[in-house]
Amino acid sequence: MSHMHQTLVTRIVEAALLAANQPLTVVQLHGLFRLDEPAPEGSVEAALVALQAACEARGVKLVELASG
């Protein structure tokens, strides 16, 4: 089984957040990845941290809400 690269995980998470019309939970974001090739441990969370920093540089805010 190959491990997915962090850059790919971040791109998938970013695309899902941009396409979603509602907040997504971390569980839902993990659900984007196939069971036979899951995102590496901690990579979805690392993607969210990276995207938060990237969004601030673009004048957009990525925030965590109670709902997602």
Side-chain angles (χ1 to χ4, degrees), residues 1-63:
M1 175 172 40
S2 66
H3 282 287
M4 208 172 290
H5 192 271
Q6 181 63 50
T7 304
L8 178 58
V9 173
T10 301
R11 285 185 182 155
I12 292 169
V13 169
E14 181 179 26
L17 292 171
L18 290 172
N21 58 2
Q22 62 191 25
L24 296 173
T25 66
V26 173
V27 172
Q28 288 172 312
L29 293 172
H30 277 284
L32 298 170
F33 301 92
R34 298 186 338 221
L35 290 177
D36 63 339
E37 195 174 351
E41 185 77 28
S43 63
V44 169
E45 293 78 5
L48 291 171
V49 170
L51 290 169
Q52 248 177 336
C55 285
E56 283 183 16
R58 291 185 257 172
V60 177
K61 270 201 166 174
L62 175 64
V63 295

